[in-house]
Every structure is written in structure tokens, then in C-alpha cells.
Coordinates of all heavy atoms in Angstrom, one line a residue:
M1 N -52.8 73.9 63.1 CA -52.8 73.0 62.0 C -53.8 73.6 60.9 O -54.9 73.8 61.2 CB -53.4 71.6 62.5 CG -53.4 70.6 61.4 SD -54.2 69.0 61.8 CE -53.5 68.6 63.4
A2 N -53.3 73.7 59.7 CA -54.1 74.3 58.6 C -54.9 73.3 58.0 O -54.4 72.3 57.5 CB -53.2 75.0 57.6
K3 N -56.2 73.5 58.0 CA -57.1 72.5 57.4 C -57.5 73.0 56.0 O -57.8 74.2 55.8 CB -58.4 72.3 58.2 CG -58.1 71.7 59.6 CD -57.8 70.2 59.4 CE -57.6 69.6 60.8 NZ -57.2 68.3 60.8
G4 N -57.5 72.1 55.0 CA -57.8 72.4 53.7 C -59.1 71.7 53.3 O -60.0 71.4 54.1
F5 N -59.2 71.4 52.0 CA -60.3 70.7 51.5 C -60.6 69.4 52.2 O -59.7 68.6 52.4 CB -60.1 70.4 50.0 CG -60.0 71.6 49.1 CD1 -58.7 71.9 48.6 CD2 -61.0 72.4 48.9 CE1 -58.6 73.0 47.9 CE2 -60.9 73.5 48.1 CZ -59.6 73.9 47.6
G6 N -61.8 69.2 52.6 CA -62.2 67.9 53.3 C -61.5 67.6 54.6 O -61.4 66.5 55.0
G7 N -61.0 68.7 55.2 CA -60.3 68.5 56.5 C -58.9 68.0 56.5 O -58.3 67.6 57.5
F8 N -58.3 68.0 55.3 CA -56.9 67.5 55.1 C -56.0 68.6 55.7 O -56.2 69.8 55.6 CB -56.5 67.4 53.7 CG -57.1 66.2 53.0 CD1 -58.1 66.3 52.0 CD2 -56.8 64.9 53.4 CE1 -58.7 65.2 51.4 CE2 -57.3 63.8 52.8 CZ -58.3 63.9 51.8
D9 N -54.9 68.1 56.3 CA -53.9 69.0 56.9 C -53.0 69.4 55.7 O -52.3 68.7 55.1 CB -53.0 68.2 57.9 CG -51.9 69.0 58.5 OD1 -51.7 70.1 58.1 OD2 -51.2 68.4 59.3
M10 N -53.1 70.7 55.4 CA -52.4 71.3 54.2 C -50.9 71.2 54.4 O -50.2 71.0 53.4 CB -52.9 72.7 53.9 CG -54.3 72.8 53.4 SD -54.6 71.9 51.9 CE -53.8 72.9 50.8
N11 N -50.4 71.4 55.6 CA -49.0 71.4 55.8 C -48.4 70.0 55.5 O -47.4 69.8 54.9 CB -48.6 71.8 57.2 CG -48.8 73.3 57.4 OD1 -48.7 74.1 56.5 ND2 -49.1 73.7 58.7
S12 N -49.2 69.0 56.0 CA -48.8 67.6 55.7 C -48.9 67.2 54.3 O -48.0 66.6 53.7 CB -49.7 66.7 56.5 OG -49.4 65.3 56.2
L13 N -49.9 67.7 53.6 CA -50.1 67.5 52.2 C -48.9 68.1 51.4 O -48.4 67.5 50.5 CB -51.4 68.1 51.7 CG -52.1 67.4 50.6 CD1 -52.3 65.9 50.8 CD2 -53.5 68.1 50.4
M14 N -48.6 69.3 51.7 CA -47.5 70.0 51.0 C -46.1 69.3 51.3 O -45.3 69.2 50.4 CB -47.4 71.5 51.5 CG -48.5 72.3 51.0 SD -48.7 72.4 49.2 CE -47.2 73.3 48.8
S15 N -45.9 68.8 52.5 CA -44.7 68.1 52.8 C -44.6 66.8 52.0 O -43.6 66.5 51.5 CB -44.7 67.8 54.3 OG -43.6 67.0 54.6
Q16 N -45.7 66.1 51.9 CA -45.8 64.9 51.1 C -45.5 65.2 49.6 O -44.8 64.4 49.0 CB -47.1 64.1 51.3 CG -47.2 63.5 52.6 CD -48.6 62.9 52.8 OE1 -49.5 63.0 52.0 NE2 -48.8 62.2 53.9
A17 N -46.1 66.3 49.1 CA -45.9 66.6 47.7 C -44.4 67.0 47.5 O -43.8 66.6 46.4 CB -46.7 67.8 47.4
K18 N -43.7 67.6 48.4 CA -42.3 68.0 48.2 C -41.5 66.7 48.3 O -40.5 66.6 47.5 CB -41.9 68.9 49.4 CG -42.3 70.3 49.1 CD -41.9 71.2 50.3 CE -42.5 72.6 50.1 NZ -42.0 73.5 51.2
K19 N -41.8 65.8 49.1 CA -41.1 64.5 49.2 C -41.2 63.7 47.9 O -40.3 63.2 47.4 CB -41.6 63.6 50.3 CG -41.1 64.1 51.7 CD -41.7 63.2 52.8 CE -41.3 63.7 54.2 NZ -42.0 62.9 55.2
M20 N -42.5 63.7 47.3 CA -42.7 63.0 46.1 C -41.9 63.7 44.9 O -41.4 63.0 44.1 CB -44.2 63.0 45.7 CG -44.5 62.2 44.5 SD -46.3 62.0 44.1 CE -46.7 60.7 45.3
Q21 N -41.9 65.0 44.9 CA -41.2 65.7 43.9 C -39.7 65.4 43.9 O -39.1 65.1 42.9 CB -41.3 67.3 44.1 CG -40.4 68.1 43.2 CD -41.1 68.9 42.2 OE1 -42.3 69.2 42.4 NE2 -40.5 69.3 41.2
K22 N -39.1 65.3 45.1 CA -37.7 64.9 45.3 C -37.5 63.5 44.8 O -36.5 63.2 44.1 CB -37.2 65.1 46.7 CG -37.0 66.5 47.1 CD -36.5 66.7 48.5 CE -36.4 68.1 48.9 NZ -35.9 68.3 50.2
E23 N -38.4 62.6 45.1 CA -38.3 61.2 44.7 C -38.4 61.1 43.2 O -37.7 60.4 42.5 CB -39.3 60.4 45.4 CG -39.2 58.9 45.1 CD -37.9 58.3 45.7 OE1 -37.2 58.9 46.5 OE2 -37.6 57.1 45.3
I24 N -39.3 61.9 42.6 CA -39.4 61.9 41.1 C -38.1 62.4 40.5 O -37.7 61.8 39.5 CB -40.6 62.8 40.7 CG1 -41.9 62.1 41.0 CG2 -40.6 63.1 39.2 CD1 -43.2 62.9 40.9
E25 N -37.6 63.4 41.0 CA -36.3 64.0 40.5 C -35.2 62.9 40.6 O -34.4 62.8 39.7 CB -35.9 65.3 41.2 CG -36.8 66.4 40.8 CD -36.6 67.7 41.7 OE1 -35.6 67.6 42.6 OE2 -37.3 68.6 41.5
R26 N -35.1 62.2 41.7 CA -34.1 61.2 41.9 C -34.3 60.1 40.9 O -33.3 59.6 40.2 CB -34.2 60.6 43.3 CG -33.1 59.6 43.6 CD -33.4 58.9 44.9 NE -34.6 58.0 44.9 CZ -34.7 56.8 44.3 NH1 -33.7 56.4 43.7 NH2 -35.8 56.2 44.4
I27 N -35.5 59.6 40.7 CA -35.8 58.6 39.7 C -35.4 59.0 38.3 O -34.8 58.3 37.5 CB -37.3 58.1 39.7 CG1 -37.5 57.3 41.0 CG2 -37.7 57.3 38.5 CD1 -39.0 57.0 41.3
Q28 N -35.7 60.3 37.9 CA -35.4 60.8 36.6 C -33.9 60.8 36.4 O -33.3 60.5 35.4 CB -36.0 62.1 36.4 CG -37.5 62.1 36.2 CD -38.2 63.4 36.1 OE1 -37.7 64.4 36.8 NE2 -39.2 63.5 35.4
Q29 N -33.1 61.2 37.5 CA -31.7 61.3 37.4 C -31.1 59.9 37.2 O -30.2 59.6 36.4 CB -31.1 62.0 38.6 CG -31.3 63.5 38.6 CD -30.9 64.1 39.9 OE1 -30.6 63.5 40.9 NE2 -31.0 65.5 39.9
E30 N -31.6 58.9 38.0 CA -31.2 57.5 37.9 C -31.5 57.0 36.5 O -30.7 56.2 35.9 CB -31.8 56.7 39.0 CG -31.2 56.9 40.3 CD -31.9 56.0 41.4 OE1 -32.7 55.1 41.0 OE2 -31.6 56.2 42.6
A31 N -32.7 57.3 36.0 CA -33.1 56.7 34.7 C -32.2 57.2 33.6 O -31.9 56.5 32.6 CB -34.5 57.1 34.4
A32 N -31.7 58.5 33.7 CA -30.8 59.0 32.7 C -29.5 58.2 32.6 O -28.9 58.1 31.5 CB -30.5 60.5 33.0
K33 N -29.1 57.6 33.7 CA -27.9 56.8 33.7 C -28.1 55.4 33.4 O -27.2 54.7 33.0 CB -27.3 56.9 35.1 CG -26.9 58.3 35.5 CD -26.4 58.4 37.0 CE -26.2 59.8 37.4 NZ -26.0 59.9 38.9
E34 N -29.4 54.9 33.5 CA -29.7 53.5 33.3 C -29.7 53.2 31.8 O -30.4 53.9 31.0 CB -31.0 53.1 33.9 CG -31.2 51.6 34.0 CD -32.4 51.3 34.8 OE1 -32.7 52.0 35.9 OE2 -33.1 50.3 34.5
I35 N -29.0 52.1 31.4 CA -29.0 51.8 29.9 C -29.8 50.6 29.7 O -29.8 49.6 30.4 CB -27.5 51.5 29.5 CG1 -26.6 52.6 29.9 CG2 -27.4 51.1 28.1 CD1 -26.9 53.9 29.2
T36 N -30.6 50.7 28.6 CA -31.5 49.6 28.1 C -30.9 49.2 26.8 O -30.6 50.0 25.9 CB -32.9 50.1 27.9 OG1 -33.4 50.5 29.2 CG2 -33.8 48.9 27.4
Q37 N -30.7 47.9 26.6 CA -30.1 47.3 25.4 C -31.1 46.4 24.7 O -31.7 45.6 25.3 CB -28.8 46.6 25.7 CG -28.0 46.2 24.5 CD -26.7 45.6 25.0 OE1 -26.7 44.5 25.5 NE2 -25.6 46.3 24.8
V38 N -31.2 46.6 23.4 CA -32.0 45.7 22.6 C -31.2 45.2 21.4 O -30.3 45.9 20.9 CB -33.3 46.3 22.1 CG1 -34.2 46.7 23.2 CG2 -33.1 47.5 21.2
S39 N -31.6 44.0 20.9 CA -31.0 43.4 19.7 C -32.1 43.2 18.7 O -33.2 42.8 19.0 CB -30.3 42.1 20.0 OG -29.2 42.3 20.8
V40 N -31.7 43.4 17.4 CA -32.7 43.1 16.3 C -31.9 42.4 15.2 O -30.7 42.4 15.2 CB -33.3 44.5 15.7 CG1 -34.2 45.1 16.8 CG2 -32.2 45.4 15.2
G41 N -32.7 41.8 14.3 CA -32.1 41.1 13.2 C -31.3 39.9 13.7 O -30.2 39.6 13.2
G42 N -31.8 39.2 14.7 CA -31.2 38.0 15.2 C -29.8 38.3 15.9 O -28.9 37.5 15.9
G43 N -29.8 39.5 16.5 CA -28.5 39.9 17.2 C -27.5 40.6 16.3 O -26.4 40.9 16.7
M44 N -27.9 40.9 15.0 CA -26.9 41.5 14.1 C -26.7 43.0 14.4 O -25.7 43.6 14.1 CB -27.4 41.3 12.7 CG -27.4 39.8 12.3 SD -27.9 39.5 10.6 CE -26.3 39.6 9.8
I45 N -27.7 43.6 15.1 CA -27.6 45.0 15.5 C -28.0 45.1 16.9 O -29.1 44.6 17.3 CB -28.5 46.0 14.6 CG1 -27.9 46.0 13.2 CG2 -28.5 47.4 15.2 CD1 -28.6 47.0 12.3
T46 N -27.2 45.8 17.7 CA -27.5 46.0 19.2 C -27.5 47.5 19.4 O -26.6 48.2 19.0 CB -26.5 45.3 20.1 OG1 -26.4 43.9 19.8 CG2 -26.9 45.5 21.5
V47 N -28.6 48.0 20.0 CA -28.8 49.4 20.3 C -29.0 49.6 21.8 O -29.7 48.9 22.4 CB -30.0 50.0 19.5 CG1 -30.1 51.5 19.8 CG2 -29.8 49.8 18.0
S48 N -28.2 50.6 22.3 CA -28.4 50.9 23.8 C -28.9 52.3 23.9 O -28.4 53.2 23.2 CB -27.0 50.8 24.5 OG -26.5 49.5 24.3
A49 N -29.9 52.5 24.8 CA -30.4 53.9 25.0 C -30.5 54.1 26.5 O -30.7 53.1 27.3 CB -31.8 54.0 24.4
N50 N -30.5 55.3 27.0 CA -30.7 55.6 28.4 C -32.1 56.1 28.6 O -32.9 56.2 27.7 CB -29.7 56.7 28.8 CG -29.8 58.0 28.2 OD1 -30.9 58.4 27.7 ND2 -28.8 58.8 28.2
G51 N -32.4 56.3 29.9 CA -33.8 56.7 30.3 C -34.2 58.0 29.8 O -35.4 58.4 29.9
D52 N -33.3 58.9 29.3 CA -33.7 60.1 28.7 C -34.1 60.0 27.3 O -34.4 60.9 26.6 CB -32.5 61.1 28.8 CG -32.4 61.8 30.1 OD1 -33.3 61.8 30.9 OD2 -31.3 62.4 30.4
G53 N -34.0 58.7 26.8 CA -34.4 58.5 25.4 C -33.2 58.8 24.4 O -33.5 58.9 23.2
E54 N -32.0 58.8 24.9 CA -30.9 59.1 24.0 C -30.2 57.8 23.7 O -30.0 56.9 24.5 CB -29.8 60.0 24.7 CG -30.3 61.3 25.1 CD -29.3 62.1 25.9 OE1 -28.5 61.5 26.6 OE2 -29.3 63.3 25.8
V55 N -29.9 57.6 22.4 CA -29.2 56.4 22.0 C -27.7 56.6 22.3 O -27.1 57.6 21.9 CB -29.4 56.1 20.5 CG1 -28.5 55.0 20.0 CG2 -30.8 55.9 20.1
V56 N -27.1 55.7 23.1 CA -25.7 55.9 23.5 C -24.8 55.0 22.8 O -23.5 55.2 22.9 CB -25.6 55.7 25.1 CG1 -26.4 56.8 25.8 CG2 -26.1 54.4 25.5
E57 N -25.3 53.9 22.2 CA -24.4 53.0 21.5 C -25.1 52.2 20.4 O -26.3 51.8 20.7 CB -23.7 52.1 22.5 CG -22.7 51.1 21.8 CD -22.0 50.3 22.9 OE1 -22.7 49.6 23.6 OE2 -20.7 50.3 22.9
I58 N -24.5 52.0 19.3 CA -25.0 51.1 18.3 C -23.9 50.1 17.9 O -22.8 50.6 17.5 CB -25.5 51.8 17.0 CG1 -26.7 52.7 17.4 CG2 -25.9 50.9 15.9 CD1 -27.2 53.6 16.3
K59 N -24.1 48.8 17.9 CA -23.2 47.8 17.4 C -23.8 47.1 16.2 O -24.9 46.7 16.3 CB -22.8 46.9 18.5 CG -22.0 47.5 19.6 CD -21.5 46.5 20.6 CE -20.7 47.2 21.7 NZ -20.1 46.2 22.6
I60 N -23.0 47.0 15.2 CA -23.4 46.3 13.9 C -22.5 45.2 13.6 O -21.3 45.3 13.6 CB -23.4 47.3 12.7 CG1 -24.2 48.6 13.1 CG2 -23.8 46.7 11.5 CD1 -24.1 49.7 12.1
S61 N -23.1 44.0 13.4 CA -22.3 42.8 13.0 C -21.7 43.1 11.6 O -22.2 43.7 10.7 CB -23.3 41.6 12.9 OG -22.6 40.5 12.3
K62 N -20.4 42.7 11.5 CA -19.7 42.8 10.3 C -20.3 42.2 9.1 O -20.2 42.6 8.0 CB -18.2 42.3 10.5 CG -17.4 43.2 11.4 CD -16.0 42.7 11.5 CE -15.3 43.6 12.5 NZ -14.0 43.2 12.9
E63 N -21.1 41.1 9.4 CA -21.8 40.4 8.3 C -22.8 41.3 7.6 O -23.0 41.2 6.4 CB -22.5 39.2 8.9 CG -21.6 38.1 9.5 CD -22.3 37.4 10.6 OE1 -23.5 37.5 10.8 OE2 -21.5 36.7 11.3
L64 N -23.4 42.3 8.3 CA -24.4 43.2 7.7 C -23.7 44.2 6.8 O -24.4 44.7 5.9 CB -25.1 43.9 8.9 CG -26.4 43.3 9.4 CD1 -27.0 44.1 10.5 CD2 -27.4 43.1 8.3
L65 N -22.5 44.5 7.0 CA -21.8 45.5 6.3 C -21.7 45.2 4.8 O -21.6 46.1 3.9 CB -20.5 45.9 6.9 CG -20.6 46.5 8.3 CD1 -19.2 46.8 8.8 CD2 -21.5 47.7 8.3
S66 N -21.7 43.9 4.5 CA -21.6 43.5 3.1 C -23.0 43.2 2.5 O -23.1 42.9 1.3 CB -20.7 42.3 2.9 OG -21.2 41.2 3.7
D67 N -24.0 43.3 3.3 CA -25.4 43.0 2.8 C -26.1 44.2 2.3 O -25.5 45.3 2.1 CB -26.2 42.4 3.9 CG -25.9 40.9 4.2 OD1 -25.1 40.3 3.4 OD2 -26.4 40.4 5.2
D68 N -27.3 44.1 2.0 CA -28.2 45.1 1.5 C -28.2 46.3 2.4 O -28.6 46.2 3.6 CB -29.6 44.5 1.3 CG -30.6 45.4 0.7 OD1 -30.2 46.5 0.2 OD2 -31.8 45.1 0.7
V69 N -28.0 47.5 1.9 CA -28.0 48.7 2.6 C -29.4 49.0 3.2 O -29.5 49.5 4.3 CB -27.5 49.9 1.8 CG1 -27.6 51.2 2.5 CG2 -26.0 49.7 1.4
E70 N -30.4 48.8 2.4 CA -31.8 49.0 2.9 C -32.1 48.2 4.1 O -32.8 48.6 5.0 CB -32.8 48.8 1.7 CG -32.7 49.9 0.7 CD -33.7 49.7 -0.4 OE1 -34.6 48.8 -0.3 OE2 -33.6 50.4 -1.5
M71 N -31.7 46.9 4.1 CA -31.9 46.1 5.2 C -31.2 46.6 6.5 O -31.8 46.7 7.6 CB -31.5 44.6 5.0 CG -31.8 43.7 6.1 SD -31.3 42.0 5.8 CE -29.6 42.0 6.1
L72 N -30.0 47.1 6.3 CA -29.2 47.7 7.4 C -30.0 48.9 7.9 O -30.1 49.0 9.1 CB -27.8 48.0 6.9 CG -26.9 48.8 7.9 CD1 -26.7 47.9 9.2 CD2 -25.6 49.1 7.3
E73 N -30.4 49.7 7.1 CA -31.2 50.9 7.5 C -32.4 50.5 8.3 O -32.7 51.1 9.3 CB -31.5 51.8 6.3 CG -30.3 52.4 5.6 CD -30.6 53.1 4.3 OE1 -31.7 52.8 3.7 OE2 -29.8 53.9 3.9
D74 N -33.2 49.6 7.7 CA -34.4 49.1 8.4 C -34.1 48.6 9.8 O -34.8 48.8 10.8 CB -35.1 48.1 7.6 CG -35.8 48.7 6.3 OD1 -35.9 49.9 6.3 OD2 -36.2 47.9 5.4
L75 N -33.1 47.8 9.9 CA -32.7 47.2 11.2 C -32.2 48.2 12.2 O -32.6 48.2 13.4 CB -31.6 46.1 11.0 CG -32.1 44.8 10.4 CD1 -30.9 43.9 10.1 CD2 -33.1 44.1 11.3
L76 N -31.5 49.2 11.7 CA -31.0 50.3 12.6 C -32.2 51.1 13.1 O -32.3 51.4 14.3 CB -30.1 51.2 11.8 CG -28.6 50.8 11.8 CD1 -27.9 51.7 10.9 CD2 -28.0 50.9 13.2
L77 N -33.1 51.4 12.2 CA -34.3 52.2 12.6 C -35.1 51.4 13.6 O -35.6 51.9 14.7 CB -35.2 52.5 11.4 CG -36.4 53.4 11.6 CD1 -36.0 54.7 12.2 CD2 -37.1 53.6 10.3
S78 N -35.3 50.1 13.4 CA -36.1 49.2 14.3 C -35.4 49.2 15.6 O -36.0 49.3 16.7 CB -36.2 47.9 13.7 OG -36.8 47.0 14.6
G79 N -34.1 49.0 15.6 CA -33.3 48.9 16.9 C -33.4 50.1 17.7 O -33.6 50.1 18.9
V80 N -33.2 51.3 17.1 CA -33.2 52.5 17.8 C -34.6 52.8 18.4 O -34.7 53.2 19.6 CB -32.8 53.7 16.8 CG1 -33.1 55.0 17.4 CG2 -31.3 53.6 16.5
N81 N -35.6 52.6 17.6 CA -37.0 52.8 18.1 C -37.3 51.9 19.3 O -37.9 52.3 20.3 CB -38.0 52.7 17.0 CG -38.0 53.9 16.1 OD1 -37.6 55.0 16.5 ND2 -38.3 53.7 14.8
E82 N -36.9 50.6 19.2 CA -37.2 49.7 20.3 C -36.4 50.0 21.5 O -36.9 49.9 22.6 CB -36.9 48.3 19.8 CG -37.2 47.2 20.8 CD -38.6 47.0 21.1 OE1 -39.5 47.6 20.4 OE2 -38.9 46.2 22.0
A83 N -35.2 50.4 21.4 CA -34.3 50.8 22.5 C -34.9 52.0 23.3 O -35.0 52.0 24.5 CB -32.9 51.0 22.1
I84 N -35.3 53.0 22.5 CA -35.9 54.2 23.1 C -37.2 53.8 23.8 O -37.5 54.3 24.9 CB -36.1 55.3 22.1 CG1 -34.7 55.8 21.7 CG2 -37.0 56.4 22.6 CD1 -34.8 56.8 20.5
R85 N -38.1 53.0 23.1 CA -39.4 52.6 23.7 C -39.2 51.9 25.0 O -39.8 52.2 26.0 CB -40.1 51.8 22.7 CG -41.6 51.4 23.2 CD -42.2 50.4 22.3 NE -41.6 49.1 22.4 CZ -41.7 48.2 23.5 NH1 -42.4 48.6 24.5 NH2 -41.0 47.1 23.5
K86 N -38.2 50.9 25.1 CA -38.0 50.1 26.3 C -37.4 51.0 27.4 O -37.8 50.8 28.6 CB -37.1 48.9 26.0 CG -37.8 47.8 25.3 CD -37.0 46.5 25.3 CE -37.9 45.4 24.8 NZ -37.2 44.1 24.9
A87 N -36.5 51.9 27.1 CA -35.9 52.8 28.1 C -37.0 53.7 28.7 O -37.1 53.8 29.9 CB -34.8 53.6 27.5
K88 N -37.9 54.2 27.9 CA -39.0 55.0 28.4 C -40.0 54.2 29.2 O -40.5 54.7 30.2 CB -39.7 55.7 27.2 CG -38.9 56.9 26.6 CD -39.7 57.6 25.5 CE -38.9 58.7 25.0 NZ -39.7 59.4 23.9
E89 N -40.2 53.0 28.8 CA -41.1 52.1 29.5 C -40.6 51.8 30.9 O -41.3 51.8 31.9 CB -41.2 50.8 28.7 CG -42.3 49.8 29.2 CD -42.4 48.6 28.3 OE1 -42.9 48.7 27.3 OE2 -41.8 47.5 28.7
K90 N -39.2 51.6 31.1 CA -38.7 51.4 32.4 C -38.9 52.6 33.3 O -39.2 52.5 34.5 CB -37.1 51.2 32.3 CG -36.8 49.8 31.9 CD -35.2 49.7 32.0 CE -34.7 48.3 31.7 NZ -33.3 48.2 31.8
V91 N -38.7 53.8 32.7 CA -38.9 55.0 33.5 C -40.4 55.1 33.9 O -40.7 55.4 35.1 CB -38.5 56.3 32.7 CG1 -38.9 57.6 33.5 CG2 -37.0 56.3 32.4
K92 N -41.3 54.9 33.0 CA -42.7 54.9 33.3 C -43.1 54.0 34.4 O -43.9 54.3 35.3 CB -43.5 54.6 32.0 CG -45.0 54.8 32.2 CD -45.7 54.6 30.9 CE -47.2 54.7 31.0 NZ -47.9 54.5 29.7
E93 N -42.5 52.7 34.4 CA -42.8 51.8 35.4 C -42.3 52.3 36.8 O -43.0 52.1 37.8 CB -42.1 50.4 35.1 CG -42.8 49.7 34.0 CD -42.0 48.5 33.5 OE1 -40.9 48.1 34.2 OE2 -42.4 47.8 32.6
K94 N -41.2 52.9 36.9 CA -40.6 53.4 38.1 C -41.5 54.5 38.6 O -41.8 54.6 39.8 CB -39.2 53.8 38.0 CG -38.2 52.7 37.8 CD -36.8 53.1 37.7 CE -35.9 51.9 37.6 NZ -34.5 52.3 37.6
M95 N -41.9 55.4 37.8 CA -42.8 56.5 38.2 C -44.1 56.0 38.6 O -44.7 56.5 39.6 CB -43.0 57.5 37.0 CG -41.8 58.3 36.7 SD -41.3 59.4 38.0 CE -39.8 60.1 37.3
S96 N -44.7 55.0 37.9 CA -46.0 54.5 38.3 C -45.9 53.8 39.7 O -46.8 53.9 40.5 CB -46.4 53.4 37.3 OG -47.6 52.9 37.6
A97 N -44.8 53.2 40.0 CA -44.6 52.6 41.3 C -44.6 53.7 42.4 O -45.1 53.5 43.5 CB -43.3 51.8 41.4
L98 N -43.9 54.8 42.1 CA -43.9 55.9 43.0 C -45.2 56.6 43.2 O -45.6 56.9 44.4 CB -42.9 57.0 42.6 CG -42.8 58.2 43.4 CD1 -42.2 58.0 44.8 CD2 -41.9 59.3 42.7
T99 N -46.0 56.8 42.2 CA -47.2 57.5 42.2 C -48.4 56.6 42.5 O -49.5 57.1 42.5 CB -47.4 58.3 41.0 OG1 -47.6 57.4 39.9 CG2 -46.3 59.3 40.7
G100 N -48.2 55.3 42.7 CA -49.3 54.4 42.9 C -50.2 54.2 41.7 O -51.3 53.9 41.8
G101 N -49.6 54.4 40.5 CA -50.3 54.2 39.2 C -51.1 55.4 38.8 O -51.7 55.4 37.7
I102 N -51.0 56.5 39.5 CA -51.7 57.7 39.1 C -50.8 58.4 38.1 O -49.6 58.7 38.3 CB -51.9 58.7 40.4 CG1 -52.8 58.0 41.4 CG2 -52.5 60.0 39.9 CD1 -52.9 58.7 42.7
S103 N -51.4 58.8 37.0 CA -50.7 59.5 35.9 C -50.6 61.0 36.3 O -51.6 61.7 36.5 CB -51.4 59.3 34.6 OG -50.7 60.0 33.6
I104 N -49.4 61.5 36.4 CA -49.1 62.9 36.7 C -48.6 63.6 35.5 O -47.5 63.2 35.0 CB -48.2 63.1 37.9 CG1 -48.8 62.4 39.1 CG2 -47.9 64.6 38.2 CD1 -47.8 62.4 40.3
P105 N -49.3 64.6 34.9 CA -48.8 65.2 33.7 C -47.4 65.8 33.9 O -47.1 66.4 34.9 CB -49.8 66.4 33.5 CG -51.1 65.9 34.3 CD -50.5 65.1 35.4
G106 N -46.6 65.7 32.9 CA -45.3 66.3 32.9 C -44.2 65.4 33.4 O -43.0 65.7 33.4
I107 N -44.6 64.2 33.9 CA -43.5 63.2 34.4 C -43.7 61.9 33.8 O -44.7 61.5 33.3 CB -43.5 63.1 35.9 CG1 -44.8 62.9 36.5 CG2 -42.8 64.3 36.5 CD1 -44.8 62.6 38.0

């Protein structure tokens, strides 16, 4: 049995780290497929994003198409940013549950 810092079993520690790495990869793959949807402007614009932070769908109410273009642009920007933020938040929550709240750089 290889003892490391403070008497820890290095083989066991390495095994646990590999298991955690595989679990992180699994969560990241699942998150890429998971879709988060937000609505802005009272439901006039709906934006969907995945856990990779990619916008996958935007729906615009026909009523907005005849309105002010600047308002449409503002609502689109707001919807896209909110969808990406929420999708990333979901991934962060899942990672935090896996790591016990410990922030690991790069994930």
C-alpha cells in the first residue's frame, strides 16, 4: 500500500480521482443534451439553450414582428443571455453536487 501525504493511500486516492473524472465527463455530456428554456417579454420570445451554452432555438411571437425593431432586438438579447446563464447554472449545480461544493478549476 503506497502511503502519501498524511498517510493517505495514494492508490485509493488516484482511483477516486479517476472515478470523479469519469463522473464529471458524464455530467458534461448529459448537460450538453439538456435543454433550458426561458421566456421574456411576457412570453413573446422563447429561447432554448443547452448545457454547452449554445442557443438551439428561438421562437418569436408574430405580434412582435410588426412592433419596434429595437424592442425585438432587446428582447432577443435578454432571452439569449438568460437562457445561456440558466443552462450554465444547471451544469454548475450538478458539478457542485458531485464535488461536494468544492470548486475545481476547468470544470
Side-chain angles (χ1 to χ4, degrees):
M1 181 184 318
K3 296 287 182 183
F5 298 107
F8 288 110
D9 179 357
M10 291 303 288
N11 290 332
S12 175
L13 210 53
M14 291 300 292
S15 175
Q16 288 176 353
K18 285 180 184 179
K19 285 179 186 177
M20 184 176 281
Q21 170 118 20
K22 286 182 182 180
E23 186 65 14
I24 288 169
E25 289 171 4
R26 184 189 65 75
I27 288 172
Q28 288 173 329
Q29 289 172 353
E30 285 179 8
K33 296 174 189 170
E34 192 170 326
I35 304 299
T36 299
Q37 189 177 71
V38 299
S39 293
V40 295
M44 296 181 92
I45 292 183
T46 303
V47 180
S48 301
N50 65 23
D52 278 341
E54 297 174 332
V55 174
V56 295
E57 183 177 55
I58 297 175
K59 291 188 177 187
I60 302 170
S61 169
K62 290 181 181 171
E63 298 148 12
L64 269 178
L65 298 178
S66 62
D67 282 350
D68 183 11
V69 172
E70 287 181 13
M71 182 177 79
L72 175 60
E73 291 170 343
D74 289 344
L75 287 173
L76 275 171
L77 186 60
S78 174
V80 167
N81 287 330
E82 182 67 7
I84 291 171
R85 186 190 66 75
K86 282 194 174 188
K88 287 182 178 182
E89 189 176 284
K90 278 186 179 180
V91 173
K92 186 177 178 180
E93 287 172 6
K94 288 182 180 187
M95 288 297 179
S96 181
L98 173 67
T99 63
I102 297 171
S103 178
I104 300 174
I107 51 172

